[in-house]
Amino acid sequence: MHFSILFNKQVYDNIPELFICVNCLNYTIVVQFIVSCKELLMVVTTVLVHVKEDFIQDFINASRENHLNSIKEAGNRRFDVIQSTEDSSRFLLYEAYETPEDAAAHKKTVHYEKWRDTVAPWMAEPRKGVPYISVCP
């Protein structure tokens, strides 16, 4: 069985037409879904982090705790902590929330405030958050 997903390039009232094509034994079944952009969009922030060499493991431990609590938050879709393979002192945090309000609420949680205050002295340079909106989740 072969599955493929195709996005129609024509957009009507900012609503993409999503086609799912299933090819099984030379029979193709096409099912068309109209999906609201609102249902697909996520508020995403990437945070670039450069940690002092002596605090890399401490940063990982504190970030793991923050991650485990963040993924339990209402509206959280994804919360990744990623370490560079080229420079172990560099990290990327990928935070995805359903709404801007969910993302803002994250910064008011006890676990985020604890993480922020704990890791602050370990930074080799200030963290840099870059906001995004998902295009194709």
Side-chain angles (χ1 to χ4, degrees):
M1 190 176 287
H2 172 76
F3 293 94
S4 62
I5 298 176
L6 308 170
F7 287 91
N8 187 338
K9 292 182 181 183
Q10 183 179 10
V11 177
Y12 178 74
D13 289 338
N14 294 323
I15 299 175
E17 294 182 6
L18 172 64
F19 291 89
I20 299 180
C21 300
V22 181
N23 185 338
C24 180
L25 302 173
N26 293 327
Y27 293 96
T28 302
I29 302 166
V30 179
V31 181
Q32 179 179 352
F33 294 95
I34 304 297
V35 181
S36 166
C37 287
K38 279 186 165 181
E39 293 173 14
L40 294 176
L41 293 181
M42 292 184 292
V43 176
V44 175
T45 301
T46 62
V47 182
L48 304 172
V49 181
H50 185 196
V51 178
K52 295 174 186 173
E53 293 287 333
D54 292 343
F55 297 101
I56 292 173
Q57 191 57 53
D58 294 326
F59 177 80
I60 290 171
N61 294 341
S63 296
R64 182 176 292 120
E65 181 180 338
N66 186 44
H67 158 83
L68 291 171
N69 286 295
S70 296
I71 61 174
K72 296 175 188 173
E73 293 173 27
N76 179 267
R77 293 245 184 111
R78 188 164 193 97
F79 197 99
D80 297 336
V81 180
I82 304 166
Q83 186 175 27
S84 171
T85 58
E86 295 177 358
D87 180 351
S88 62
S89 69
R90 295 195 180 266
F91 294 83
L92 176 83
L93 308 182
Y94 180 91
E95 307 171 7
Y97 287 88
E98 291 178 15
T99 68
E101 294 78 18
D102 294 330
H106 165 68
K107 292 189 175 184
K108 296 177 183 174
T109 61
V110 171
H111 60 269
Y112 169 77
E113 291 174 348
K114 177 183 176 187
W115 175 85
R116 179 197 62 206
D117 296 344
T118 300
V119 303
W122 304 338
M123 299 293 107
E125 59 189 87
R127 298 184 321 275
K128 181 178 180 183
V130 180
Y132 295 88
I133 277 197
S134 62
V135 176
C136 297

